[in-house]
Amino acid sequence: MRSPDSELKIVSLVRYVDACAPAHRHDDCPFVVEQQGQLACGEECRGVLSSLLRREERELESGLQAFDARQLRLSEEKGAPDALWHTSSLLQVVVAAVRTHPLLRNGRFDLRRFVDVTSALGALGCRGIDPDQLVRRGMASIIKLGIAGWLSSLERSNNRKDWEHREQWQGFFEEGLVDDPSSTSYIKAALTGQTSRKFDFWIESASLEDIILWKPPNESPDELSTTSSDDVEIWTWIVHRFTQTYLDSWSLVSLKREYQFVRGLWHPSFAEELLRERVIAREDVATALADRATRSEDVIDPAVLRALTQQAAALLDEGQRTAAAALFDSARMLNPADIVAQNNYAYCILVDKPEVALPLLRDALNRGIERPAVTLCNIAFAESLLGNNEAALEACQQAYESSPERDLTYLWKRGDEDWISIQTSIRPWVIEFAAELERSVGAFGKWDERLKRLRLTQLEAPSSGPSSIEKDEGDQ
């Protein structure tokens, strides 16, 4: 169901079309393009507007996703990637490698990472995908965010501080951190300004092995070259097309490239048989573009936020809550009003700083974050850590009433020695958590009764789902 705010934006877009004429176009229209010094309608304009008006009907007709990148990856044989793997799985291996540190946490070289990424690139090369172009063009932003994210988290953890290239990378960013020397400015520097251009030169000129191993340049370039934006768009589109299940996780330029492709207005230089491994309906692409057109400006680009989320999730799996929080603290600098970045930051600090996380979570709830039941669970957890059991039970009741029967997420749970982030259904978590709160004060009420019924009727544990850290199920 669309919000009133979205409805108003749709009406505004329709009025743009009604008033649009060859002699006069609106330069603030989200689909206007400049051609030879004059404004022209973007190719996707009409399809997007018609999709906006039919979206609710379309949502009722659509079924489950036919392409699930995560399940494709999990279905592959164990071991190093080979030529029999799906293109999606091979690309996910490369993406996971280039955004992570080349050393293990104990400081030893991560040989498995290097073997897997080189094997995957070799298999992709056999399919007509140029490994060099793929990494340099399609994964440049992922590499930048990976290195910047590691540096951003470095000051708050013991994460490979003795790495031989640490000081070189910190010096690489030095100029970009002049205005804001805090660790949270690394990501902003990597994406904008002089540091970003230095990154572009390094990615363009260094050997592929040096890029994969995060080996920094010895000297700063005298002149900063620029790569073709068209090439970058094409290869970024390939990465998004095969590694992201859901279109709302793609960048806007990738969505526009897909729209051109499905309409037959543009064809890539390599064999199109490869692209048939994933078929996307034209109407679905138009709907995704329509959604992007009506979303608020106060959000971080989904592709950027997704890359940071993947890194933070990996850090949480290793128990590095402070380092994961540092990534989202950095992300919030890109756009402080982004509600998902705020929510994810609060989730990462929830165990260690519940008094800081609680107002952030309540603010996210008041601003209409998607899946409010998850936020209510986290509010209940924070209240319990602060000793406010009555408020925690009230939040549990609200989460129980507002959650779908089989809504899955990641929530905090007490492990053997520390809190761990686990994947679970919301309702069972709420019931068990609230029943435990009741027992802690010597009461056995409705939550204890619900827990008894749950244990009688629960036949199987959940297998997969999204996270309290708002990440795409289709991501590896």
Side-chain angles (χ1 to χ4, degrees):
M1 185 174 181
R2 292 193 289 258
S3 67
D5 185 52
S6 293
E7 293 284 359
L8 287 174
K9 291 176 180 177
I10 292 170
V11 170
S12 298
L13 286 169
V14 172
R15 286 178 176 170
Y16 276 133
V17 174
D18 291 341
C20 197
H24 178 72
R25 289 184 171 83
H26 300 270
D27 58 4
D28 57 344
C29 174
F31 299 117
V32 74
V33 295
E34 187 173 341
Q35 296 178 353
Q36 298 178 347
Q38 294 184 339
L39 297 178
C41 290
E43 294 170 345
E44 66 275 13
C45 176
R46 299 289 168 171
V48 167
L49 265 296
S50 62
S51 179
L52 276 168
L53 300 176
R54 298 196 305 270
R55 180 169 51 183
E56 289 181 354
E57 176 184 347
R58 177 72 180 177
E59 287 176 349
L60 291 173
E61 294 175 352
S62 62
L64 297 175
Q65 289 282 348
F67 180 91
D68 189 331
R70 180 175 179 272
Q71 293 302 320
L72 284 169
R73 173 68 182 89
L74 294 175
S75 68
E76 303 293 358
E77 296 292 331
K78 302 297 182 183
D82 60 46
L84 297 179
W85 279 26
H86 194 282
T87 300
S88 170
S89 303
L90 295 171
L91 282 169
Q92 288 180 73
V93 168
V94 181
V95 168
V98 299
R99 65 177 168 82
T100 55
H101 202 283
L103 301 185
L104 298 168
R105 289 184 64 193
N106 59 14
R108 296 173 58 190
F109 178 64
D110 190 347
L111 181 61
R112 175 65 182 270
R113 169 188 178 275
F114 188 68
V115 170
D116 282 357
V117 69
T118 51
S119 299
L121 287 172
L124 288 166
C126 294
R127 299 187 182 190
I129 294 182
D130 186 340
D132 202 70
Q133 295 286 319
L134 175 67
V135 173
R136 297 184 195 277
R137 307 289 197 271
M139 301 185 185
S141 62
I142 297 173
I143 297 167
K144 291 180 184 180
L145 289 169
I147 296 173
W150 171 72
L151 288 169
S152 179
S153 65
L154 190 61
E155 303 300 327
R156 311 185 189 195
S157 70
N158 295 318
N159 188 18
R160 307 173 184 87
K161 287 188 177 181
D162 57 348
W163 187 38
E164 60 177 319
H165 299 310
R166 175 179 60 85
E167 292 184 0
Q168 282 180 273
W169 278 120
Q170 288 177 324
F172 184 88
F173 277 80
E174 188 174 7
E175 184 177 352
L177 302 178
V178 171
D179 295 333
D180 183 4
S182 67
S183 63
T184 57
S185 59
Y186 281 106
I187 290 174
K188 186 176 182 180
L191 297 176
T192 60
Q194 184 80 354
T195 301
S196 180
R197 291 191 292 273
K198 287 164 61 179
F199 253 127
D200 291 337
F201 182 85
W202 171 67
I203 292 172
E204 182 69 22
S205 60
S207 69
L208 198 56
E209 181 174 318
D210 283 355
I211 295 173
I212 293 171
L213 295 180
W214 285 12
K215 185 177 179 180
N218 292 323
E219 299 178 358
S220 296
D222 295 328
E223 295 183 6
L224 299 175
S225 61
T226 56
T227 57
S228 167
S229 60
D230 196 54
D231 282 346
V232 172
E233 288 180 8
I234 293 170
W235 289 98
T236 301
W237 164 67
I238 287 292
V239 173
H240 289 162
R241 196 176 200 277
F242 284 108
T243 63
Q244 303 307 315
T245 298
Y246 303 106
L247 296 178
D248 59 8
S249 295
W250 293 24
S251 67
L252 180 59
V253 292
S254 293
L255 285 173
K256 290 188 175 184
R257 181 68 63 177
E258 182 68 25
Y259 193 78
Q260 288 180 312
F261 175 69
V262 296
R263 289 189 64 195
L265 301 174
W266 171 83
H267 299 278
S269 57
F270 48 82
E272 293 186 20
E273 286 76 9
L274 180 70
L275 301 178
R276 297 196 183 103
E277 292 185 24
R278 180 179 192 180
V279 178
I280 306 176
R282 172 175 164 178
E283 186 71 14
D284 290 340
V285 184
T287 300
L289 279 166
D291 289 334
R292 193 66 57 85
T294 59
R295 67 185 296 161
S296 169
E297 293 294 331
D298 295 328
V299 295
I300 299 170
D301 182 273
V304 172
L305 188 60
R306 184 194 64 252
L308 294 174
T309 302
Q310 291 169 334
Q311 292 172 330
L315 288 169
L316 285 180
D317 288 341
E318 296 178 352
Q320 299 190 58
R321 297 191 295 264
T322 303
L327 290 182
F328 285 116
D329 200 13
S330 302
R332 294 168 70 201
M333 288 190 63
L334 298 175
N335 197 325
D338 188 287
I339 191 172
V340 177
Q342 175 178 311
N343 176 80
N344 291 357
Y345 173 70
Y347 182 76
C348 291
I349 66 172
L350 197 51
V351 172
D352 305 296
K353 300 178 180 179
E355 72 283 357
V356 178
L358 184 57
L360 294 175
L361 292 167
R362 290 199 176 280
D363 178 64
L365 188 67
N366 292 335
R367 290 166 59 195
I369 192 169
E370 292 185 16
R371 304 175 71 236
V374 180
T375 303
L376 285 164
C377 288
N378 289 321
I379 289 173
F381 180 67
E383 293 282 16
S384 70
L385 292 178
L386 295 172
N388 304 324
N389 283 3
E390 185 175 342
L393 287 170
E394 181 181 351
C396 284
Q397 182 63 34
Q398 293 175 346
Y400 181 82
E401 293 173 351
S402 61
S403 66
E405 287 289 340
R406 298 184 179 275
D407 199 9
L408 300 170
T409 190
Y410 278 84
L411 294 166
W412 292 106
K413 185 175 182 179
R414 173 68 74 178
D416 294 335
E417 300 179 355
D418 196 3
W419 294 100
I420 58 175
S421 182
I422 64 163
Q423 193 176 60
T424 180
S425 294
I426 292 180
R427 283 200 172 184
W429 183 92
V430 170
I431 292 171
E432 292 178 7
F433 183 74
E436 185 177 339
L437 285 178
E438 280 188 335
R439 289 195 297 269
S440 69
V441 295
F444 295 88
K446 64 180 180 182
W447 291 108
D448 188 65
E449 290 298 320
R450 285 171 175 169
L451 182 60
K452 291 177 182 178
R453 292 199 299 270
L454 173 67
R455 288 174 175 170
L456 288 174
T457 58
Q458 196 172 36
L459 300 178
E460 59 183 16
S463 57
S464 63
S467 169
S468 287
I469 293 183
E470 296 289 323
K471 65 180 179 179
D472 190 330
E473 291 180 16
D475 294 340
Q476 184 63 45

